Structures are given as structure tokens and as C-alpha cells.
Amino acid sequence: MAADAPFTGAFNGTGRACSGGVYIREKTVEWISTYSICKPSRYEVLAKDSTAGHQRIAVHIKSRSRRCLYEVFEMEQTSTYGWNINGYQSLASYRNRALPDWRNSPLEERLILSCPMVRLN
């Protein structure tokens, strides 16, 4: 993947909280799941790594739909077809994710949804 080429893809998840899909297009991203419905929204790229076999992108959505629980989506390749998709409730939550005890905090605003998914295309 060229460094300046747009990252696009369709991802499918299963399980109670992760059932649904993530769709990232050149100008919009959406994440439809059991408990959160993030309708198509424009986004800005926060981080992007296009290393073959370990791609990663993090995007900050510009406007959250009413039933959308997440403001930042992070997609990271874990195998040929496997990906882990994380949903962060705020930009601060994404930026602080590496701080000690942030990920395991009982505070509701720090909760992160982590979903294993399969890339469809």
C-alpha cells in the first residue's frame, strides 16, 4: 500500500457486542454493531502504518451520530485476514491508552471496545 494511498476496507465482527461491521471509505467511516450505531461520518487520520502484514490506522470521526458510542476507531492487522478494531469514547481516551491502568480502569469514560474482526476485501 502506498504511503499516501487512502486506506479502505470492510470488516465483519461476531459475538454479542461486536456483531456487525466497520466500513472505511476514502471520505467516510461507519461502525454498526449491537450496542453502537456510528453512521457514516467524515474523519481525520490520527495514525497510519502501512507495513505489509501489519497495517494499522486510527481515525477520529468528525461528527458522532446519536447512537454512536465511539469517537476514535483504531484498526490493526493481526494476521492475514484478522484484524482487531478498538473503539475509544473520546480523543483523550485514545491518546491516553498507553498510560498505566488506563485500559483496565473501572471508570466508564475509559472503557474501550475491542473487537476481533475479519477483513472482507
Side-chain angles (χ1 to χ4, degrees):
M1 173 175 20
D4 56 352
F7 180 94
T8 60
F11 304 86
N12 188 33
T14 60
R16 186 171 181 187
C18 298
S19 182
V22 173
Y23 308 93
I24 185 164
R25 299 172 186 93
E26 286 188 39
K27 296 183 186 221
T28 63
V29 64
E30 68 181 297
W31 187 350
I32 306 300
S33 66
T34 305
Y35 302 109
S36 178
I37 298 173
C38 301
K39 293 183 179 177
S41 173
R42 296 185 70 76
Y43 63 89
E44 66 176 322
V45 175
L46 299 174
K48 182 178 176 184
D49 179 1
S50 56
T51 305
H54 188 85
Q55 297 178 48
R56 179 181 166 274
I57 188 167
V59 299
H60 177 229
I61 62 174
K62 301 249 181 188
S63 61
R64 226 191 297 198
S65 51
R66 191 173 56 91
R67 294 191 51 213
C68 181
L69 299 178
Y70 308 104
E71 189 174 328
V72 176
F73 307 157
E74 179 182 39
M75 294 151 260
E76 185 168 13
Q77 188 176 13
T78 58
S79 67
T80 302
Y81 302 105
W83 288 70
N84 191 54
I85 315 282
N86 292 321
Y88 299 89
Q89 294 183 40
S90 68
L91 190 54
S93 180
Y94 168 76
R95 289 186 173 147
N96 293 324
R97 70 195 184 284
L99 292 176
D101 296 327
W102 185 273
R103 188 175 280 274
N104 298 320
S105 172
L107 299 174
E108 188 172 324
E109 66 272 9
R110 293 185 181 183
L111 294 178
I112 299 167
L113 177 64
S114 184
C115 291
M117 293 198 176
V118 174
R119 187 170 186 169
L120 302 175
N121 60 356

